[in-house]
Amino acid sequence: MTNHQLPLEQAAMRGLLQTVSDGHDLAPEWIKAATAAPRHSFLPDHIWIDLDGTYRALERRADISAWLAAAYADEPVVTQVNDGVEPGDPSKAWPSSSSSAPSVVFRMLEALDLRPGMRVLEIGTGTGWTSALLSHRLGDANVTTIEVDRGLADRARAALGTAGFAPEVVCGDGALGWGVRAPYDRIVSTCSVRRVPLAWIEQTKPGGVILTPWDNPWICWGLLRLTVGDDETAVGRFSADSSFMLMRTQRDDVDLLRDVVRDDHEAEVSETVLPRRSVVHAEAAFAIGHRIGDIWHAWQDNPAEGVADRLWIASADRSSWAAVDHDGGDEDVFTVRQYGLRRLWDEIEAAHQWWIANGRPGPDRFGLTVTSEGHQAWLDTPAHSWPLN
């Protein structure tokens, strides 16, 4: 394959590969794939840069140096906002598609443990870069990729063709898989899920692997690797890598003050000494989210006189909520208000105590068993399981 890159682009690619390989030797086959399918070739001219939480459009023609720096940084690049309907006010922009950080992409590809002749289904084509890497490794005929957004699918197909690759690019709902070319040896998702679609298990060969980023209403964090059994049961563990956008068909449009909290709700008032921020970050948050499952949170600054900030908590069914207030002082005692059939802060405190009692486990000690009857979460072994709410 002939590659007509500018010297600047070649140097940028070499620098990226060196960064990705720092402390972790990237396999030669992936170095060859990245060289044959340079990342910048799959990015649109119009991308979005995160500036302290606000996304700003960046045009390649306007600033080629900044565009290339984004293309060859080991960071995700936002390639679409607001499902393709760009807002007039940039502060209203939220990412809806991106090119994932290269180090994460290569970790996922290595976790697939690919071998010649394997057939792969990719969920979420995006820019098409991962599809190109897979095609270089396995051959076009063994790679199928599905994208729910037709505009993204068409653009990725064109970029792949220009770069000399021709995997099958399908526009459709990735949650349904693509049964036309099943069964697959591997299914890899580039969007996170809150439930593993049964179609993925049904379309994977016994002994095959499903690899997907994980999302929980409490925290979007974790990578799940499942092995499919002869009985269409999938079992596997998590790792801490990855935080990806949620699959579009699993989104839930809920607004706290619109859908959950009402003026006439009379909440039960108590106090807590458990630091609120300790339950929403990293390993503790992963454990709490995995243990409880169906709760989510939001922060509100200066919600009332004398309250510096408030942690809101709500159940997924919108029937219960809790609020934990901080007055801004040095006192490590927080006011708690709870409403509904459930006492959500009490559940969080119990889950936090469970996490500490079990040695503060990280994601790699958690696992999941998926069957047609549902999802069973577990710690260390499937014998220690509970239903995932």
Side-chain angles (χ1 to χ4, degrees), residues 38-224:
R39 189 188 191 205
H40 77 273
S41 299
F42 295 87
L43 294 181
D45 291 341
H46 184 87
I47 61 176
W48 294 77
I49 304 299
D50 183 1
L51 297 176
D52 297 325
T54 299
Y55 288 89
R56 176 178 65 86
L58 174 62
E59 291 286 347
R60 179 174 183 167
R61 290 176 297 178
D63 192 341
I64 182 62
S65 295
W67 188 91
L68 273 177
Y72 285 104
D74 189 20
E75 298 288 342
V77 175
V78 174
T79 56
Q80 184 197 71
V81 297
N82 299 43
D83 289 342
V85 182
E86 297 190 11
D89 181 357
S91 67
K92 303 295 184 183
W94 47 271
S96 53
S97 187
S98 69
S99 177
S100 302
S103 59
V104 175
V105 170
F106 288 115
R107 282 200 298 270
M108 291 179 67
L109 290 173
E110 290 183 334
L112 288 174
D113 188 24
L114 297 173
R115 291 181 291 279
M118 283 188 169
R119 294 165 54 83
V120 176
L121 171 64
E122 178 194 24
I123 309 296
T125 311
T127 65
W129 185 49
T130 304
S131 310
L133 297 173
L134 287 167
S135 291
H136 186 274
R137 177 79 173 85
L138 299 173
D140 294 331
N142 289 321
V143 179
T144 303
T145 179
I146 185 166
E147 170 60 54
V148 69
D149 187 306
R150 182 167 294 281
L152 293 178
D154 290 343
R155 190 195 173 282
R157 188 182 294 107
L160 284 160
T162 299
F165 299 100
E168 181 171 9
V169 180
V170 178
C171 181
D173 182 358
L176 302 178
W178 187 243
V180 175
R181 302 190 71 185
Y184 304 96
D185 298 281
R186 302 287 189 265
I187 291 182
V188 57
S189 177
T190 63
C191 56
S192 61
V193 296
R194 291 179 174 172
R195 291 293 184 273
V196 178
L198 288 178
W200 295 3
I201 299 174
E202 294 167 352
Q203 294 173 21
T204 302
K205 295 178 181 178
V209 169
I210 296 171
L211 186 70
T212 180
W214 187 253
D215 184 285
N216 184 283
W218 192 251
I219 181 174
C220 177
W221 190 44
L223 186 65
L224 176 63

Side-chain angles (χ1 to χ4, degrees), residues 218 256-257 261 296-300 303 310-314 321-325 337:
W218 192 251
L256 181 77
L257 300 180
V261 181
W296 55 278
H297 68 274
W299 288 96
Q300 186 180 17
R310 175 174 291 164
L311 172 63
W312 286 102
I313 304 154
W321 59 263
V324 187
D325 290 349
R337 291 176 174 82

